[in-house]
Amino acid sequence: MNKMFKIFALVMVITMMLTACGSKAAGPAAAPKTFGEAKCGPNCTYKDMTLCYPQLGAESDWRTANTASFKETAAKLGVKLIFSDAQQKQENQISALRSCIQQGVNVIALPPVVETGWDAVLQEAKTAGIPVIVVDRSVSADGSMYAAHIGSDMVIEGERSAAEFNKLLPNGGNILELSGTTGSGAAVGRAKGFRAKLNANIKILDSQTGNFTRAEGKPVMEAFLKKYAGQIQGVFFHNDDMAIGAVEAIKAAGIKPGDLKMVSIDGTRGGFQLMIDGWLQADVECNPLLGPQVMDLALKLMNGQAIAHEALTDETVYYADKAAELLPTRKY
Ligand code: AHR
């Protein structure tokens, strides 16, 4: 009888344990996490991460390198990357963001084509508990609407460009500006920093957008050369691709390397080649290789760790005299 009781008691204990396990597995879903917790536990790894990257376009060599950095880093770390190309259209980026919100990604990394117009979709991401890391260019939305910004200080890039012109044209002169995409954080910041530091004896005769592309940089330069023939000493380019397009127009006009002082931004291989060929005197660095840094930050967000709200890339200025030596080391 005693033996029978022991067997009965053992069966009861095993049954109770199994029931407890079952109810745990089938229990109520975890409450939705708040903004910044990225819907994951404290010990998530890269393999748990689905990262949305609604790239703004493929307008430049810089952008191509930026895309490659995200794709290669995701493949290496085992991150699931949801990538799209908005073809420089904000409405396409917003649609891609909404699709990522619907899919319930862990984190969104947004390289915004322009600064304004993001408030509504950032609020939608926030309501869904999906943190947004603003990448590369800035947004004008309040800082509380996104988790962090990682990228270059575009104002400093403009200031550095002005400092180069101050050295190149110590007695002053007239220059032209080929600006980036109108309303983009890159174009706005660079123009602001440039004007703040340019010597008073250097006059910007005109400024037109070339939309950060070779294709648009060339006709803008052609029109400039017709309008300001014989009146200019220099040209400032907001990126290397526009400089490459413009140099085709400058060559066609019979202008020789060094006749005009020229400074650009990015530090791509194409920009380095322009320095080697004597067209550019300086190239201000803007680093596109942001994939590893963004994914590191995204993982911290998923694990509820504290992060800095602003992470600016450490950058430099490259000069023509070192361009040939450095070109083989360039990664983009
Ligand atoms: O936002 C970064 C800028 O965008 C780069 O200078 C340019 O090349 C790119 O298109």
Side-chain angles (χ1 to χ4, degrees), residues 267-287:
T268 58
R269 286 195 196 104
F272 270 66
Q273 194 58 55
L274 287 184
M275 287 198 282
I276 292 166
D277 296 342
W279 294 106
L280 281 187
Q281 281 68 52
D283 204 352
V284 175
E285 184 187 20
C286 181
N287 190 341

Side-chain angles (χ1 to χ4, degrees), residues 6 39 47 79 109 118 132 137 171 179 185 247 255 267 305:
K6 278 184 184 162
K39 290 181 187 156
K47 295 195 172 40
V79 168
W118 298 104
V132 176
R137 305 176 185 177
N171 301 317
S179 164
V247 163
I255 296 167
Q305 292 172 18

Side-chain angles (χ1 to χ4, degrees), residues 72-324:
E72 284 162 15
T73 309
K76 191 172 133 202
L77 299 175
V79 168
K80 185 175 175 226
L81 187 71
I82 300 184
F83 179 88
S84 50
D85 175 350
Q87 300 178 344
Q88 295 233 66
K89 292 195 177 77
Q90 186 179 32
E91 62 268 31
N92 292 348
Q93 276 196 299
I94 290 176
S95 303
L97 273 165
R98 291 204 166 116
S99 159
C100 284
I101 293 168
Q102 267 186 347
Q103 290 174 67
V105 299
N106 298 105
V107 180
I108 295 169
L110 169 68
V113 62
V114 289
E115 279 189 306
T116 58
W118 298 104
D119 296 63
V121 73
L122 287 176
Q123 183 58 58
E124 288 165 35
K126 196 172 179 177
T127 305
I130 301 172
V132 176
I133 301 171
V134 176
V135 179
D136 162 29
R137 305 176 185 177
S138 50
V139 292
S140 61
D142 189 78
S144 63
M145 300 300 294
Y146 53 92
H149 171 233
I150 294 183
S152 304
D153 189 325
M154 306 297 183
V155 176
I156 287 182
E157 290 176 352
E159 290 177 359
R160 287 184 175 148
S161 306
E164 295 310 319
F165 275 105
N166 295 342
K167 287 189 267 173
L168 290 164
L169 298 172
N171 301 317
N174 294 328
I175 63 170
L176 298 165
E177 178 181 49
L178 262 85
S179 164
T181 302
T182 306
S184 67
V188 172
R190 289 168 187 174
K192 185 177 167 201
F194 191 66
R195 282 154 182 76
K197 295 288 174 185
L198 196 65
N199 283 347
N201 61 2
I202 303 176
K203 193 170 169 214
I204 305 169
L205 284 191
D206 207 340
S207 175
Q208 297 289 332
T209 181
N211 211 15
F212 283 128
T213 67
R214 294 178 193 199
E216 289 175 69
K218 186 177 175 186
V220 171
M221 195 70 226
E222 282 167 350
F224 271 167
L225 290 171
K226 274 195 195 121
K227 194 167 172 191
Y228 300 103
Q231 298 176 55
I232 52 163
Q233 285 73 48
V235 190
F236 169 41
F237 302 99
H238 280 206
N239 86 337
D240 288 349
D241 284 79
M242 291 190 296
I244 291 165
V247 163
E248 286 182 28
I250 291 168
K251 272 188 206 165
I255 296 167
K256 300 278 173 274
D259 287 354
L260 296 173
K261 303 301 175 201
M262 305 207 276
V263 174
S264 179
I265 296 179
D266 275 355
T268 58
R269 286 195 196 104
F272 270 66
Q273 194 58 55
L274 287 184
M275 287 198 282
I276 292 166
D277 296 342
W279 294 106
L280 281 187
Q281 281 68 52
D283 204 352
V284 175
E285 184 187 20
C286 181
N287 190 341
L289 308 177
L290 301 170
Q293 212 185 336
V294 168
M295 286 176 216
D296 173 64
L297 206 63
L299 188 62
K300 288 197 166 93
L301 285 168
M302 285 173 67
N303 284 324
Q305 292 172 18
I307 54 153
H309 194 258
E310 182 87 28
L312 296 174
T313 317
D314 197 18
E315 292 167 339
T316 187
V317 180
Y318 299 107
Y319 295 97
D321 61 343
K322 290 271 183 322

